[in-house]
Amino acid sequence: MNEIMTAQELSAYLKITTTTIYKLAQLGEIPSFKVGSEWRFKKELVDRWLEKGAGHAPKKVLVVDDEPAICELYQRALDRKKYTVDVAYSGKEAIQAASQNNYDFIFLDLKMPEMNGVETFKEIKKLPIRAMVAIVTAYPDSELLSEAMRLGPLTVILKPFDLNEIQRSVESLVLMTSKA
């Protein structure tokens, strides 16, 4: 299939911000071309790019969510891609895990009892770690998400999602960090 996507369409497909898509295109790190002043992306080439980069993937992921079924969904999706997945069911567990392990990625639920995702993210940012953080939420229009975005997560993943979305998100994040 020779589907051509805009930066906005690719952003939705890869589950990363449009700003990140533009940066990758400008740096020549993602297969792209310009039509006039606008970036365009051939889906087939992007998919191949994802497949190639996944082999160089960082391996350790922390999933933070108070819902065991959501954590299990992440584990199934990422185990297939050979990632090591740890789970924390609360913000406090997440902070403890992040302070004791070297994670490449943290998927952080926004709404959790006791300590929400914003409070957890603030504490994680204080730690001497280099993990990329993706905020996961079913509430895209909430004030809590606005507050989280000011802290600078790499991306936002909207619930509900499926296994392919999780895998694509991680593979995209892996490719962005594999050049670093």
Side-chain angles (χ1 to χ4, degrees):
M1 174 183 261
N2 286 330
E3 182 181 347
I4 305 294
M5 295 187 282
T6 65
Q8 292 78 16
E9 291 166 338
L10 185 60
S11 171
Y13 178 65
L14 296 178
K15 305 296 181 203
I16 57 178
T17 66
T18 305
T19 303
T20 301
I21 297 294
Y22 286 128
K23 286 180 187 174
L24 290 171
Q26 290 167 349
L27 294 170
E29 293 183 16
I30 189 169
S32 59
F33 60 95
K34 276 194 161 182
V35 175
S37 63
E38 298 296 320
W39 288 102
R40 295 292 185 260
F41 309 86
K42 213 175 209 184
K43 183 179 180 301
E44 178 184 358
L45 296 177
V46 170
D47 287 341
R48 274 196 237 146
W49 176 75
L50 286 171
E51 288 170 16
K52 279 186 195 173
H56 308 293
K59 302 278 189 227
K60 196 131 174 91
V61 177
L62 175 63
V63 175
V64 185
D65 200 301
D66 59 314
E67 295 180 51
I70 298 292
C71 293
E72 186 178 314
L73 183 65
Y74 271 101
Q75 284 180 306
R76 279 188 303 179
L78 299 175
D79 281 348
R80 290 179 186 166
K81 295 290 186 179
K82 309 294 186 224
Y83 292 94
T84 301
V85 181
D86 291 341
V87 172
Y89 297 106
S90 70
K92 289 180 183 178
E93 282 182 39
I95 294 163
Q96 182 178 5
S99 67
Q100 295 173 353
N101 296 283
N102 187 21
Y103 293 105
D104 297 296
F105 302 106
I106 300 174
F107 290 91
L108 180 59
D109 187 30
L110 191 59
K111 283 208 171 192
M112 296 183 292
E114 294 180 37
M115 182 179 228
N116 67 40
V118 171
E119 295 164 334
T120 304
F121 193 16
K122 285 178 183 177
E123 293 302 312
I124 287 172
K125 285 185 67 127
K126 292 177 186 176
L127 298 173
I129 61 174
R130 297 181 54 162
M132 306 298 280
V133 176
I135 298 292
V136 183
T137 185
Y139 307 95
D141 297 326
S142 71
E143 179 57 38
L144 200 54
L145 180 57
S146 297
E147 187 178 349
M149 293 304 294
R150 287 191 287 275
L151 295 173
L154 182 63
T155 192
V156 175
I157 299 171
L158 299 178
K159 291 180 182 177
F161 48 77
D162 65 26
L163 297 179
N164 291 330
E165 286 180 295
I166 294 168
Q167 291 168 343
R168 266 198 314 272
S169 297
V170 173
E171 289 167 3
S172 300
L173 299 173
V174 166
L175 286 166
M176 288 176 17
T177 60
S178 66
K179 300 262 183 181

